[in-house]
Amino acid sequence: SSVPAEEVRDLLELAGRQEQELRALLSEPAETAPGTVSLRTALRSAAFGVDGLDVTISAAGGLGLPAAQVEDVSGAVRQALENVRRHAEATRATVFAEELEGELIVSVRDDGVGFVYDEERLRSQGKLGMLGSMKGRIEGLGGSMRVRTAPGRGTEIEFRLPARREVE
Amino acid sequence: MSDAEPIRVMVVDDHPVWRDGIRDDLERSGVASVVAEAGDGGEAIELARETMPDVVLMDLRLPTVSGVDAIRQIVEEAPHVRVLVLSASGEEADVLEAVKVGATGYLLKSTTSAEICDAVVRTSRGEPVFTSPLAGLVLSEFRRVAQPTAGEPGLTPRENEILRLVAKGYTYREIAEQLFISHKTVQNHVQNILTKLQLKKRYELMRYAIQRGLDRTPD
């Protein structure tokens, strides 16, 4: 039995996109200092495997940081994207990262349904879930997390962390 | 000139199949007609001269003359021509160069045909079509220079704020709502940012030239 034409087209499109993404990862210029890893490259990999969601990575620079910190941040972003995929009913998400005055600022913005974020109420109802665990994790790293959302207005989750420049 | 006249577009890409697809999409939309097609940078410059399109849709990876050089030439000869760059992801440094030499905006090639048509319409009106990754790149560009030359443009706090919001993925409409300003004001700010970026490019070239001059040993 033959594969329906539409499916073939979708597969080709997916393959084409994956090829573009792979090429982007491969041709990443070596702009990070020795001993550091590019956060931007790591975020691109994180965005790569999110099914059904169109994720854009936007970074103010290559953002070379110690590997351990890049891992921490990528992990938090992966969690945030998973949250978007599961609950937001979004078509698009943008991950933005910058380093400003010694602080690393990363945000995940989606164009989904948004919600009423009442942290205390959600926590007391045991409904804080993934957002709660992300917040705990970021705070454990010496940072802070802020959620900006409203019904019908999409959601933005912003992490701030002290940018660790020293290489162990 | 009536609004009903289709936008005259030149498509520049070295893949004929892709050009066919884009031409079909644009003409089917009814808002644009393709007046010329070019397969390389040299052809693009010549045909732009001959046909004077309103909008040039251009891929940066071209044989003979590069997309960036072609844009520089086309915009120099006909400043009213708007260039919309179509790029595969990962070519961001080239895209930034293109914007610096006068491109109005940039879109990823993987964008839907509806969005490409919409972008062509917006580009023809001079509205900058600006994606989040490009905004992020422009941000880092303005932050990169520690000691700007006197008179070299920097971003105002408002411009910096707007650029950050674009980089974060907000639409102009959402930004206008958040900042309690009009959609048109947001567009104007973005346009100013791009103009400053082009000015910045000239300062960079000037600095480079001055450095070369100082380094030159006397005969």
Side-chain angles (χ1 to χ4, degrees):
Chain A
S1 53
S2 59
V3 183
E6 217 179 76
E7 231 186 281
V8 173
R9 199 170 6 106
D10 287 342
L11 285 171
L12 285 176
E13 204 186 276
L14 181 64
R17 262 182 64 203
Q18 286 179 342
E19 200 221 305
Q20 283 179 354
E21 293 291 342
L22 280 172
R23 253 194 284 146
L25 291 173
L26 290 172
S27 66
E28 180 76 20
E31 47 183 285
T32 55
T36 66
V37 169
S38 163
L39 176 60
R40 180 168 63 182
T41 307
L43 291 177
R44 280 185 183 155
S45 316
F48 192 32
V50 185
D51 259 341
L53 188 62
D54 192 358
V55 183
T56 302
I57 303 298
S58 133
L63 297 173
L65 295 161
Q69 186 170 44
V70 169
E71 243 180 75
D72 290 335
V73 173
S74 310
V77 168
R78 272 202 185 88
Q79 260 192 304
L81 287 173
E82 179 57 23
N83 208 43
V84 171
R85 193 187 66 79
R86 277 196 211 168
H87 303 300
E89 290 167 58
T91 49
R92 283 196 165 132
T94 305
V95 180
F96 168 69
E98 67 177 340
E99 195 185 320
L100 201 56
E101 289 152 14
E103 217 180 15
L104 185 60
I105 303 170
V106 181
S107 69
V108 179
R109 154 92 186 146
D110 71 71
D111 66 348
V113 295
F115 57 100
V116 175
Y117 183 65
D118 183 341
E119 194 180 324
E120 283 315 307
R121 193 155 136 244
L122 289 170
R123 194 192 301 276
S124 65
Q125 290 173 345
K127 285 189 179 169
L128 203 49
M130 215 183 261
L131 280 180
S133 98
M134 274 195 296
K135 187 161 190 221
R137 181 177 179 167
I138 294 293
E139 286 174 351
L141 294 165
S144 62
M145 183 178 110
R146 183 198 67 172
V147 179
R148 185 205 275 165
T149 183
R153 294 263 168 108
T155 304
E156 181 196 309
I157 298 175
E158 187 186 82
F159 309 124
R160 287 180 181 241
L161 287 166
R164 280 190 272 137
R165 293 245 138 242
E166 332 80 55
V167 181
E168 289 88 36
Chain B
M1 200 164 309
S2 80
D3 283 340
E5 270 180 35
I7 300 162
R8 304 174 67 254
V9 180
M10 175 169 77
V11 179
V12 185
D13 191 291
D14 62 344
H15 290 121
V17 174
W18 196 87
R19 291 199 311 256
D20 286 344
I22 273 292
R23 189 189 54 232
D24 287 345
D25 287 339
L26 287 174
E27 304 209 329
R28 223 181 314 127
S29 75
V31 296
S33 73
V34 176
V35 301
E37 283 181 41
D40 65 58
E43 227 189 318
I45 295 169
E46 274 176 39
L47 286 173
R49 239 177 243 148
E50 278 175 34
T51 62
M52 299 291 271
D54 301 317
V55 173
V56 175
L57 209 53
M58 183 177 296
D59 186 324
L60 290 180
R61 296 281 157 101
L62 298 171
T64 73
V65 179
S66 74
V68 170
D69 289 334
I71 293 170
R72 189 186 292 118
Q73 187 72 25
I74 290 171
V75 167
E76 208 180 283
E77 293 183 11
H80 65 277
V81 171
R82 320 274 191 195
V83 180
L84 179 60
V85 170
L86 281 175
S87 162
S89 65
E91 298 172 9
E92 289 166 359
D94 289 337
V95 167
L96 191 61
E97 276 307 300
V99 172
K100 280 182 177 180
V101 301
T104 302
Y106 122 84
L107 270 190
L108 287 177
K109 262 184 154 176
S110 52
T111 320
T112 64
S113 52
E115 283 175 297
I116 292 179
C117 292
D118 179 60
V120 166
V121 172
R122 287 169 63 196
T123 303
S124 74
R125 292 193 208 125
E127 288 174 25
V129 179
F130 220 164
T131 62
S132 312
L134 183 60
L137 220 60
V138 175
L139 257 178
S140 68
E141 191 69 17
F142 273 101
R143 288 176 191 172
R144 206 164 40 88
V145 181
Q147 296 287 355
T149 316
E152 187 174 334
L155 294 180
T156 65
R158 187 60 128 191
E159 286 166 347
N160 193 68
E161 189 178 16
I162 288 177
L163 195 53
R164 266 185 104 244
L165 288 171
V166 175
K168 282 184 164 196
Y170 291 93
T171 64
Y172 292 0
R173 200 154 301 264
E174 287 166 341
I175 294 173
E177 266 176 37
Q178 262 185 55
L179 301 182
F180 302 104
I181 55 181
S182 74
H183 185 250
K184 190 82 186 92
T185 305
V186 176
Q187 280 177 17
N188 289 342
H189 278 300
V190 175
Q191 189 59 64
N192 290 340
I193 292 166
L194 287 179
T195 304
K196 283 185 179 181
L197 188 65
Q198 286 164 22
L199 263 175
K200 205 172 177 303
K201 170 76 171 178
R202 282 185 225 149
Y203 271 96
E204 277 171 26
L205 291 173
M206 217 166 58
R207 257 204 306 265
Y208 180 74
I210 290 170
Q211 266 180 4
R212 283 334 242 355
L214 289 173
D215 286 341
R216 214 182 326 135
T217 51
D219 289 314

